[in-house]
Amino acid sequence: MPDQVLSAPETPKRPRGRPRKTLDERDDGNRRHDLLKAAAQLFRRKGFAATTTRDIAAAAGMQSGSPFYHFKSKDALLFAVMEEGMQSALARQRLVVETPAHRAASPVEQLRTLVRCHFDVLLGPGNDFVPVMLYESRSLNTRQRKQVAQLIAAYESLWMPVLVALEKSGQLRAPAPLARLLILGALNWSVQWFDAKKGASVATLTDTAIALFIKES
Amino acid sequence: MPDQVLSAPETPKRPRGRPRKTLDERDDGNRRHDLLKAAAQLFRRKGFAATTTRDIAAAAGMQSGSPFYHFKSKDALLFAVMEEGMQSALARQRLVVETPAHRAASPVEQLRTLVRCHFDVLLGPGNDFVPVMLYESRSLNTRQRKQVAQLIAAYESLWMPVLVALEKSGQLRAPAPLARLLILGALNWSVQWFDAKKGASVATLTDTAIALFIKES
DNA sequence: CCTACCGATCGGTAGG
DNA sequence: CCTACCGATCGGTAGG
């Protein structure tokens, strides 16, 4: 679950039973994160413009004005969702790429790992953050869009060396830059149709995608 | 331009110069279609929920209440945009598929034709209708969604025989149903990044996609 | 974080 | 198709 890689640390052990809110336990960070999670879920299901800040407040168990104690504006909430989504996706990707086994693997297996990681980021349980980024970016202002674009560039940059290697070996029959757009498009679209409860698993989805895109050497 | 295949017929010849609105010339169909075009463009750029009926009215040169003379509600306008988009896409697809040359072609060439046709529908100048359908369906109610789903099913049904043939011949290395989802996803995503003014043309885009997905026999 | 509230905007309508 | 308008909702804020 990539959105836990960087999520706020669990509050430390405390006595069992109903948690009582003492002053030193209040932990605003958790309430803020509750808002983020509620916002991500609603933005994904209904879209940014169709979601009201009242919806989000209610989903987080707050009153209508309270989200603005944590976020300056509805826009800022959207941006925070996307930033958290991309930061955790990046962290997950780095975790997987920096392993010795991955560095030693063939380009095909490296691509398989990237594809699998991407599917996990998109389709894992509770992973609404990145889908929101994929489908609601037009609601950002110019400055926010630029920042998100940087995170996306960092995320996608790890794909290019692998694709270039595959193009050179003849296993990828398309120019790497265009191949990247087409392949990531095929994966990103899975958000629209994937159903965890039926059909293929993420594992077979990954293998199918590799079989479709890659020629044996 | 697929959205002209089924568009309202041009008004017949009339005297040169500034068209005067006489009674028998009023042609409500054209005003209605102006609204549809304006709505499609705005829904695509800003999304359905972020577009106001006043925006649409202004873009069509009307007053704020006038769209409701042509459409019962904002929802009905969205649905009409999607329906027109899919009807014209279907018409274009049929036109291309029913040609004798296409029937005689190899499965690879048949797929190339379908891909090319799909790119044209998505990326052709002024073709905002189908992108709106792809990215705004969640704003439809259940009944509308079902109707749109039927049009999509009709559109996609022409792909399956071709993909099945390619799978059997070993040129497609993935089960046809999953391959269809991945391939159409790759194409549909092009709406997000394609820029007619720079980069690849639709023709090279088509050839690249085929090279990526299909193994030589 | 809640209460109470404001100004602006929005979808939609009556009547012509 | 325009004019004039209404009721509801929404993002956001002051003050505690």
Short mmCIF file of all heavy atoms in Angstrom, two decimals, chain A residues 175-202:
data_model
loop_
_atom_site.label_atom_id
_atom_site.label_comp_id
_atom_site.label_asym_id
_atom_site.label_seq_id
_atom_site.Cartn_x
_atom_site.Cartn_y
_atom_site.Cartn_z
N PRO A 175 9.87 3.68 -30.79
CA PRO A 175 10.76 4.67 -30.15
C PRO A 175 10.39 4.83 -28.68
O PRO A 175 9.21 4.99 -28.35
CB PRO A 175 10.49 5.96 -30.92
CG PRO A 175 9.79 5.55 -32.18
CD PRO A 175 9.14 4.23 -31.92
N ALA A 176 11.40 4.80 -27.81
CA ALA A 176 11.15 4.80 -26.37
C ALA A 176 10.21 5.91 -25.91
O ALA A 176 9.31 5.65 -25.09
CB ALA A 176 12.48 4.85 -25.62
N PRO A 177 10.37 7.15 -26.37
CA PRO A 177 9.50 8.21 -25.83
C PRO A 177 8.02 7.98 -26.13
O PRO A 177 7.16 8.17 -25.26
CB PRO A 177 10.00 9.48 -26.54
CG PRO A 177 11.39 9.15 -26.98
CD PRO A 177 11.38 7.69 -27.31
N LEU A 178 7.73 7.57 -27.37
CA LEU A 178 6.34 7.30 -27.72
C LEU A 178 5.86 6.01 -27.05
O LEU A 178 4.70 5.93 -26.60
CB LEU A 178 6.22 7.17 -29.25
CG LEU A 178 4.95 7.71 -29.88
CD1 LEU A 178 4.68 9.13 -29.40
CD2 LEU A 178 5.02 7.67 -31.39
N ALA A 179 6.73 5.03 -26.97
CA ALA A 179 6.37 3.78 -26.29
C ALA A 179 5.99 4.07 -24.83
O ALA A 179 5.03 3.49 -24.30
CB ALA A 179 7.52 2.79 -26.35
N ARG A 180 6.74 4.96 -24.21
CA ARG A 180 6.44 5.28 -22.81
C ARG A 180 5.02 5.86 -22.68
O ARG A 180 4.25 5.47 -21.80
CB ARG A 180 7.45 6.30 -22.28
CG ARG A 180 7.52 6.37 -20.78
CD ARG A 180 8.11 7.68 -20.34
NE ARG A 180 7.29 8.80 -20.76
CZ ARG A 180 7.68 10.06 -20.78
NH1 ARG A 180 8.90 10.38 -20.42
NH2 ARG A 180 6.85 11.02 -21.17
N LEU A 181 4.68 6.76 -23.57
CA LEU A 181 3.33 7.35 -23.51
C LEU A 181 2.25 6.30 -23.73
O LEU A 181 1.24 6.29 -23.02
CB LEU A 181 3.21 8.46 -24.57
CG LEU A 181 4.02 9.73 -24.30
CD1 LEU A 181 4.08 10.61 -25.53
CD2 LEU A 181 3.42 10.49 -23.12
N LEU A 182 2.47 5.43 -24.69
CA LEU A 182 1.45 4.41 -24.99
C LEU A 182 1.34 3.40 -23.85
O LEU A 182 0.23 3.01 -23.45
CB LEU A 182 1.77 3.73 -26.31
CG LEU A 182 1.61 4.59 -27.57
CD1 LEU A 182 2.22 3.90 -28.79
CD2 LEU A 182 0.13 4.89 -27.82
N ILE A 183 2.48 2.96 -23.34
CA ILE A 183 2.46 1.94 -22.29
C ILE A 183 1.84 2.50 -21.01
O ILE A 183 0.95 1.90 -20.41
CB ILE A 183 3.88 1.41 -22.02
CG1 ILE A 183 4.37 0.60 -23.23
CG2 ILE A 183 3.91 0.56 -20.76
CD1 ILE A 183 5.81 0.16 -23.14
N LEU A 184 2.31 3.69 -20.60
CA LEU A 184 1.74 4.26 -19.38
C LEU A 184 0.25 4.56 -19.56
O LEU A 184 -0.54 4.46 -18.61
CB LEU A 184 2.50 5.52 -18.98
CG LEU A 184 3.79 5.23 -18.22
CD1 LEU A 184 4.63 6.49 -18.02
CD2 LEU A 184 3.47 4.62 -16.85
N GLY A 185 -0.13 4.90 -20.78
CA GLY A 185 -1.55 5.11 -21.05
C GLY A 185 -2.35 3.84 -20.83
O GLY A 185 -3.41 3.85 -20.20
N ALA A 186 -1.84 2.74 -21.35
CA ALA A 186 -2.52 1.45 -21.17
C ALA A 186 -2.67 1.13 -19.69
O ALA A 186 -3.73 0.67 -19.24
CB ALA A 186 -1.75 0.35 -21.88
N LEU A 187 -1.63 1.41 -18.92
CA LEU A 187 -1.70 1.12 -17.48
C LEU A 187 -2.66 2.10 -16.78
O LEU A 187 -3.50 1.70 -15.97
CB LEU A 187 -0.31 1.22 -16.85
CG LEU A 187 0.82 0.38 -17.49
CD1 LEU A 187 2.05 0.39 -16.60
CD2 LEU A 187 0.38 -1.03 -17.77
N ASN A 188 -2.51 3.38 -17.08
CA ASN A 188 -3.32 4.39 -16.39
C ASN A 188 -4.82 4.17 -16.64
O ASN A 188 -5.64 4.46 -15.77
CB ASN A 188 -2.93 5.79 -16.86
CG ASN A 188 -1.56 6.20 -16.34
OD1 ASN A 188 -1.03 5.60 -15.40
ND2 ASN A 188 -0.96 7.21 -16.95
N TRP A 189 -5.14 3.70 -17.82
CA TRP A 189 -6.54 3.49 -18.14
C TRP A 189 -7.17 2.38 -17.30
O TRP A 189 -8.39 2.31 -17.13
CB TRP A 189 -6.70 3.18 -19.63
CG TRP A 189 -8.11 3.24 -20.12
CD1 TRP A 189 -8.90 2.19 -20.46
CD2 TRP A 189 -8.91 4.41 -20.29
NE1 TRP A 189 -10.15 2.62 -20.86
CE2 TRP A 189 -10.17 3.99 -20.75
CE3 TRP A 189 -8.67 5.78 -20.10
CZ2 TRP A 189 -11.21 4.90 -21.02
CZ3 TRP A 189 -9.70 6.66 -20.37
CH2 TRP A 189 -10.94 6.22 -20.83
N SER A 190 -6.34 1.51 -16.75
CA SER A 190 -6.86 0.40 -15.95
C SER A 190 -7.69 0.91 -14.76
O SER A 190 -8.57 0.21 -14.27
CB SER A 190 -5.72 -0.48 -15.44
OG SER A 190 -4.97 0.20 -14.43
N VAL A 191 -7.39 2.12 -14.33
CA VAL A 191 -8.18 2.73 -13.26
C VAL A 191 -9.67 2.74 -13.61
O VAL A 191 -10.53 2.65 -12.74
CB VAL A 191 -7.67 4.17 -13.01
CG1 VAL A 191 -8.64 4.97 -12.18
CG2 VAL A 191 -6.30 4.14 -12.34
N GLN A 192 -9.97 2.83 -14.90
CA GLN A 192 -11.36 2.95 -15.34
C GLN A 192 -12.11 1.62 -15.31
O GLN A 192 -13.32 1.60 -15.24
CB GLN A 192 -11.41 3.51 -16.77
CG GLN A 192 -10.61 4.79 -16.98
CD GLN A 192 -11.36 6.03 -16.55
OE1 GLN A 192 -12.52 5.97 -16.18
NE2 GLN A 192 -10.68 7.16 -16.58
N TRP A 193 -11.38 0.50 -15.43
CA TRP A 193 -12.10 -0.76 -15.60
C TRP A 193 -11.70 -1.84 -14.60
O TRP A 193 -12.43 -2.81 -14.44
CB TRP A 193 -11.92 -1.31 -17.03
CG TRP A 193 -10.50 -1.41 -17.48
CD1 TRP A 193 -9.81 -0.49 -18.24
CD2 TRP A 193 -9.58 -2.48 -17.22
NE1 TRP A 193 -8.53 -0.92 -18.45
CE2 TRP A 193 -8.36 -2.14 -17.84
CE3 TRP A 193 -9.66 -3.69 -16.51
CZ2 TRP A 193 -7.23 -2.96 -17.78
CZ3 TRP A 193 -8.54 -4.50 -16.46
CH2 TRP A 193 -7.34 -4.13 -17.09
N PHE A 194 -10.57 -1.66 -13.93
CA PHE A 194 -10.12 -2.73 -13.04
C PHE A 194 -11.09 -2.92 -11.87
O PHE A 194 -11.52 -1.95 -11.26
CB PHE A 194 -8.73 -2.43 -12.50
CG PHE A 194 -8.21 -3.50 -11.58
CD1 PHE A 194 -7.70 -4.69 -12.10
CD2 PHE A 194 -8.24 -3.34 -10.20
CE1 PHE A 194 -7.23 -5.68 -11.25
CE2 PHE A 194 -7.77 -4.33 -9.36
CZ PHE A 194 -7.26 -5.50 -9.89
N ASP A 195 -11.39 -4.16 -11.59
CA ASP A 195 -12.24 -4.48 -10.44
C ASP A 195 -11.55 -5.58 -9.63
O ASP A 195 -11.46 -6.72 -10.06
CB ASP A 195 -13.60 -4.96 -10.93
CG ASP A 195 -14.55 -5.23 -9.77
OD1 ASP A 195 -14.09 -5.20 -8.61
OD2 ASP A 195 -15.74 -5.47 -10.02
N ALA A 196 -11.10 -5.21 -8.44
CA ALA A 196 -10.31 -6.15 -7.64
C ALA A 196 -11.11 -7.40 -7.30
O ALA A 196 -10.54 -8.47 -7.09
CB ALA A 196 -9.86 -5.45 -6.36
N LYS A 197 -12.44 -7.25 -7.27
CA LYS A 197 -13.25 -8.38 -6.81
C LYS A 197 -13.48 -9.43 -7.90
O LYS A 197 -13.94 -10.51 -7.64
CB LYS A 197 -14.60 -7.87 -6.29
CG LYS A 197 -14.45 -7.00 -5.04
CD LYS A 197 -15.80 -6.63 -4.44
CE LYS A 197 -16.57 -5.71 -5.34
NZ LYS A 197 -15.92 -4.38 -5.52
N LYS A 198 -13.21 -9.09 -9.13
CA LYS A 198 -13.41 -10.07 -10.20
C LYS A 198 -12.39 -9.84 -11.30
O LYS A 198 -11.77 -8.81 -11.40
CB LYS A 198 -14.83 -9.99 -10.76
CG LYS A 198 -15.14 -8.66 -11.44
CD LYS A 198 -16.50 -8.69 -12.11
CE LYS A 198 -16.76 -7.41 -12.88
NZ LYS A 198 -18.04 -7.40 -13.59
N GLY A 199 -12.26 -10.83 -12.17
CA GLY A 199 -11.33 -10.70 -13.27
C GLY A 199 -9.89 -10.92 -12.84
O GLY A 199 -9.64 -11.48 -11.78
N ALA A 200 -8.99 -10.45 -13.66
CA ALA A 200 -7.57 -10.74 -13.46
C ALA A 200 -7.02 -10.07 -12.21
O ALA A 200 -7.53 -9.04 -11.76
CB ALA A 200 -6.79 -10.26 -14.68
N SER A 201 -6.00 -10.68 -11.64
CA SER A 201 -5.28 -10.06 -10.52
C SER A 201 -4.23 -9.11 -11.07
O SER A 201 -3.95 -9.09 -12.26
CB SER A 201 -4.60 -11.15 -9.69
OG SER A 201 -3.55 -11.72 -10.45
N VAL A 202 -3.67 -8.30 -10.18
CA VAL A 202 -2.62 -7.37 -10.59
C VAL A 202 -1.43 -8.14 -11.14
O VAL A 202 -0.77 -7.69 -12.10
CB VAL A 202 -2.21 -6.48 -9.40
CG1 VAL A 202 -0.96 -5.70 -9.73
CG2 VAL A 202 -3.34 -5.53 -9.05
#
